Amino acid sequence: MLHVLRHRTYRHLFGAQLVALTGTGLATVALGLLAFRIAGHNAGAVLGTALAIKMAAYVGVAPLAAAFANHLPRRMLLVLLDLVRCLVAACLPFVNTAWEIYVLIFVLQSASAAFTPTFQATIPDILPDEDDYTDALSLSRIAYDMESVLSPLLAAALLGVMSFHTLFVGTAVGFLGSAALVVSVRLPSPRTPPHRGVFERTTRGIRLYLATPRLRGLLAIDMAVAAAASIVLVNTVVYVQARFGLGQSAVALALACFGGGSVVAALGLPRVLARWPERTVMLGGANVLCVGACLAIWVPDYGWLLPLWAMLGVGYSIAQTPAGRLLRRSGAPEDRPALFAAQFSLSHLCWLVAYPLAGRMGASFGLPVAALGLCVLAVVATGLARRVWPANS
């Protein structure tokens, strides 16, 4: 898997991803703690709303950004977006009210909504070999998962000697490091598609996506992933601090267990995908998520929560990682930015549904009811994916 890092351009882009994700991981922990300081036991509702705003920015901005991304130099665009994210992260330590969180999160995630699909669509252009690209997808998944493991652990260590506000400084530094690494390489120019109107360019990716049966199945799996994983990402701070009465470091350790399970699964995926089709693998991951979401209804103590979060991390990685292979296979090179933007937008639309459900249901009816509702949603979505995704595609 690591041989793909011999490619200099990919190596620098992968490094940019790593440092940006480390900063983002620190912000994830700090944002949960900031929400708890502002709202107390209603932190799940505040965090759920903030994450819903993040998803709304992803859903609305990504297709619009894709309509213009092919007409701008990739390197310049990526660097400018990193600088915007750095500036916003530097403002977060000064937040004192929930509405300030919501405004800054919208600006930050609007920049990410333009950055991430452009970044993802660049990788197939610099790694045309499918085996190399598969390894790159697994490395990318491991990078996201290592962020889930190492960033909370780093946050836990830092929280022992400083305020959680300082974690946002690490986020800003991460985005600066990402910009520096992107500047250090030449990126291929995007293939310019035929001239189309703004509306057609904005909607083309989504129309191509929804016209492809395997991608409709992918969308249903995205819904199952969002439903099950939102139990972890929204309500961990409530489980650990409000229900079990533990401290901030215990929150970080629980999130690290989720990331650790995902890393273990991602390490084995290249070999699994060499033997089994994506449909079988991804539906298997969705099934694991359904079982984990069901078990989350009954979590008696912190000792049970940690292995359950690791199990959900395994299902999360298996169900999500192969998505790039499906997107690459489903469109011409000039349509890839639009398809990746459509996947980014539509998958986050699923999170836009799941995040507020997790937060509001948890705050209004309790954590077991929230887990039950999300479990039902994950099971229905997995069944739909099995039905709409043809077995031979």
Side-chain angles (χ1 to χ4, degrees):
M1 183 189 300
L2 295 179
H3 76 280
V4 73
L5 294 175
R6 291 179 294 185
H7 192 292
R8 181 179 180 274
T9 300
Y10 175 72
R11 184 171 66 249
H12 282 231
L13 291 181
F14 182 66
Q17 182 184 26
L18 284 179
V19 295
L21 284 174
T22 301
T24 302
L26 295 177
T28 299
V29 175
L31 188 61
L33 298 174
L34 178 61
F36 191 78
R37 181 179 68 80
I38 290 173
H41 288 187
N42 290 322
V46 172
L47 189 57
T49 301
L51 294 174
I53 291 171
K54 167 184 172 178
M55 295 306 123
Y58 282 0
V59 171
V61 174
L64 188 61
F68 298 96
N70 280 343
H71 301 275
L72 296 171
R74 278 178 174 167
R75 185 170 65 172
M76 180 189 76
L77 178 62
L78 292 174
V79 170
L80 287 176
L81 292 169
D82 263 337
L83 294 178
V84 170
R85 297 194 293 178
C86 173
L87 179 62
V88 174
C91 294
L92 282 169
F94 305 101
V95 165
N96 290 308
T97 62
W99 73 264
E100 292 174 320
I101 292 178
Y102 301 153
V103 171
L104 289 176
I105 288 298
F106 179 78
V107 176
L108 176 66
Q109 302 308 334
S110 293
S112 293
F115 182 95
T116 304
T118 304
F119 182 92
Q120 291 173 336
T122 303
I123 305 303
D125 290 342
I126 64 176
L127 296 175
D129 181 77
E130 183 160 356
D131 289 339
D132 286 345
Y133 183 56
T134 300
D135 289 341
L137 287 176
S138 293
L139 279 176
S140 180
R141 180 74 266 154
I142 290 171
Y144 279 103
D145 298 336
M146 289 303 293
E147 175 262 310
S148 299
V149 175
L150 297 180
S151 294
L153 292 178
L154 176 60
L158 293 174
L159 287 169
V161 296
M162 61 183 65
S163 164
F164 70 84
H165 292 89
T166 311
L167 300 181
F168 291 121
V169 177
T171 302
V173 171
F175 290 137
L176 280 179
S178 173
L181 284 164
V182 172
V183 165
S184 70
V185 295
R186 291 184 178 273
L187 300 182
S189 299
R191 300 192 185 188
T192 304
H195 177 73
R196 299 184 178 97
V198 173
F199 177 78
E200 186 176 356
R201 280 187 282 152
T202 303
T203 61
R204 178 172 174 77
I206 291 177
R207 287 186 285 109
L208 288 173
Y209 190 105
L210 296 177
T212 307
R214 72 169 72 94
L215 297 185
R216 292 199 295 269
L218 171 60
L219 180 58
I221 287 179
D222 287 335
M223 187 71 255
V225 169
S230 63
I231 298 173
V232 176
L233 300 178
V234 174
N235 283 327
T236 292
V237 67
V238 184
Y239 273 104
V240 174
Q241 293 195 255
R243 183 170 180 178
F244 301 140
L246 301 176
Q248 297 175 354
S249 296
V251 175
L253 180 59
L255 293 173
C257 285
F258 177 75
S262 191
V263 167
V264 169
L267 286 171
L269 270 175
R271 291 187 295 274
V272 172
L273 289 169
R275 297 185 57 187
W276 301 95
E278 292 93 346
R279 182 181 185 274
T280 301
V281 173
M282 296 174 76
L283 285 173
N287 289 335
V288 172
L289 288 171
C290 292
V291 173
C294 180
L295 294 175
I297 300 169
W298 305 280
V299 184
D301 54 42
Y302 187 68
W304 283 97
L305 181 108
L306 296 181
L308 177 57
W309 265 213
M311 175 185 173
L312 285 166
V314 170
Y316 178 80
S317 181
I318 294 172
Q320 252 194 347
T321 302
R325 287 167 55 116
L326 301 180
L327 294 167
R328 183 181 188 181
R329 190 187 311 152
S330 299
E334 61 270 20
D335 288 325
R336 281 178 190 155
L339 276 176
F340 274 90
Q343 163 64 9
F344 187 83
S345 180
L346 292 173
S347 64
H348 286 93
L349 180 60
C350 298
W351 291 98
L352 181 58
V353 172
Y355 274 149
L357 275 178
R360 297 296 177 182
M361 289 177 67
S364 300
F365 305 109
L367 296 173
V369 173
L372 174 61
L374 293 164
C375 175
V376 170
L377 182 56
V379 170
V380 170
T382 301
L384 182 62
R386 193 180 301 276
R387 177 166 185 157
V388 302
W389 188 346
N392 59 350
S393 67

